[in-house]
Amino acid sequence: MNPNNTPPQPKRDPIESEFDAITDAVCARLSKNQRVRRTLPGDGRFKFDRQLPFLCVYRSPVDHKDTGTRELVTTEAAYLFASAAPQYHSGLTTLTTAVRGIMQEHFGTFLFVEIWCSDAANTPQPSRPSFEIVSPDLDALPSTIEVLRNSLKEISVHGRCGTVTERSDNRVGPPQIEPLAPQCSGDANAGVCTIGIAVKPVYRDSRNGSLYPVVLQSFRRQLATGLRKTIAEFTGSQDQSTKVHFESLGPSSLVKATRLIDQQLCSVSESFDFLLQVTPTNADEAWQQFHDSRYRELPTLYYRPLPYHPNVLKRRLFDIEIERVEDPTLAHLFWEKQNEVDRQLTALRDLDQPETSKSSSHPSPFLSTSLQLYGRPEDALITLAKDILRTIHPSPKHKSKSARCIASSEIIQRAHDEIDYYHTKMNEFTATVQVSDSIASGIMVSQGRLLISSKIKLAAKRVESLLHHEIGTHLLTYFNGRCQPFQQLYAGLAGYEELQEGLAVLAEYLCGGLTKRRLRTLAARVIAVDSMIAGNAFVETFRLLHKKHHFAPHASFTTTLRVYRGGGYSKDLIYLRGLRDLLEYLAAGHEIEPLYVGKIGLQHVPYVQELRRRGIITPPRVLPRFWNDPRIRDRLEVCRGKSVLDLMETD
């Protein structure tokens, strides 16, 4: 018996109680512009990267599987996915209404976007994307709907672009499911707009529901771009100078799972030095034996033993769960890098060792993988190389012998001085100099180390330009990358080497050290790669450079050795191609400073720009030392629009 005669309180639904607690916690953090990530009842999740004027929603049907559709909203900085079961509807309404109120108070407007799967059974052209835009009043948001419509039409799967239909309906949401979105009428909802997008699931098999993960990966990236353009149009001002860039609406942080995958991928790629492993350790002895044979027979080349088994590293590589990464841009860069590391490990496994290099007349599988990594010289590049060799005549022998040479001890000291300069600009610049007589090139960078042969001698004019090449480009971008939260920028995005060499050779030109002889060497590398790929023997390519193009015997041997090492290494074509493509990039009016953010390729510039707008990547910490010289900056402006042939200096 109740002594106070108070009626018993009805029991609170536990699901609604849980949603109430989540809503209070979410609102408390969002009101302070703090990041929110919460698990919701019914295997749901709510994420708000920061205060944002939109929310993308997906609710999974209870009566059938809807594989892949949930992932269409997890690309965004503000999303919610949950079960569409009736017992969760009230709690989801409470949560979304509260969030809408806080964001609307801050921004004045709020866009609610819900995505669901359309009924695509037995539709013609099942792989062609199609969409239906649903909104209570399509005419109320003409420019926003137009941007969305055009963006959806641009989404392509297997070369087929999307089709779009539109429907006005006060009920915005999946069929047979109670709407979650607010109505756009009434003072309480003024400034709140709702758009629904029904998506045909071209990312899975319409017969059995099996997912097409590669299609889904591409589809997510394209749809994310369309959603962000739409949101930017909805929230933007009419003043173009203050209008928010759509890419800035993406996630602004690396979540824990992404950081872990970034770290794991770096750990595998940093556990070996591909270039060092494919560099012969007996280049000097090989030259002497080749010389003694009167240039008739290439001696056996020896390489460093692998301190790991490539297949074991591959196991680690493919244990990395990149599919857990929600961010489509980062996932794309991770997948690219994983593929590149896989090919590098395959190449090292197939590296021609002394016991196998002469046992078969068949081309080395190392060459096949090398071509996958670096490609082959296209006709335009070969023509450019031939034009350089035809235009620039070899230096007279007496002139080359009279040039003053700098010994290794002085080069090492100047390298230390250059590194000390960068260390004063950036404490993290902790490069070291190591003497190594087992490198064919005489000087090279291996991660954060500068390797210099004790036998190296350089013309006095070449020393400064070579230090800008190795330290002011390769080491600088490595340590700039180490200062970024995104670790791939120091490990190197896939295919980064071509831009690296283009920047490094351009640095030689800017400081006045890109000699005619140096340009001839870069052209000779392309000719040698082309000859090697054509199936010519080492001696034939040597004679091509020595007899036809008039390179000295030792220079011809060194260039040919670089190309034939390992069983056929096509990397040397990227120096000239990288310089040519960089000049075209500059001629188009682009800036060069962003390229020093880390080890990236020109193909990555749009991704890097997006990540910078989102705050995931910061500007380069330090620029090359010569950047402080206004004469060199003027020289850079002058070279915009120039071709490689225009960059000739006197020897």
Side-chain angles (χ1 to χ4, degrees), residues 420-429 621-623 628:
D420 288 344
Y421 165 82
Y422 283 109
H423 182 67
T424 63
K425 300 296 181 181
M426 176 169 55
N427 288 334
E428 295 86 352
F429 198 104
R621 281 281 297 277
V622 177
L623 292 172
N628 299 327

Side-chain angles (χ1 to χ4, degrees), residues 57-61 64 66 84 112 114-118 134 167 171-181 196-198:
V57 174
Y58 166 77
R59 290 180 289 165
S60 57
H64 64 275
D66 188 16
F112 189 98
E114 184 162 12
I115 294 177
W116 62 88
C117 172
S118 65
V134 184
R167 173 167 55 92
R171 186 188 180 285
V172 178
Q176 285 80 53
I177 297 177
E178 188 176 353
L180 184 63
I197 307 174

Side-chain angles (χ1 to χ4, degrees), residues 617-637:
I617 289 177
T618 57
R621 281 281 297 277
V622 177
L623 292 172
R625 178 169 61 87
F626 60 70
W627 220 247
N628 299 327
D629 189 337
R631 293 172 300 176
I632 289 183
R633 295 182 68 88
D634 292 341
R635 192 172 170 86
L636 173 64
E637 291 304 313

Side-chain angles (χ1 to χ4, degrees), residues 31 138-139 147 190 215 232 317 341 423 467 524 647:
S31 63
L138 293 169
D139 295 330
V147 169
V215 174
L317 178 67
V341 174
H423 182 67
L467 293 179
L647 303 185

Side-chain angles (χ1 to χ4, degrees), residues 332-347:
H332 172 75
L333 298 175
F334 287 147
W335 287 118
E336 273 193 340
K337 185 62 177 180
Q338 188 182 58
N339 290 337
E340 181 184 66
V341 174
D342 173 42
R343 289 177 177 140
Q344 289 176 333
L345 291 171
T346 297

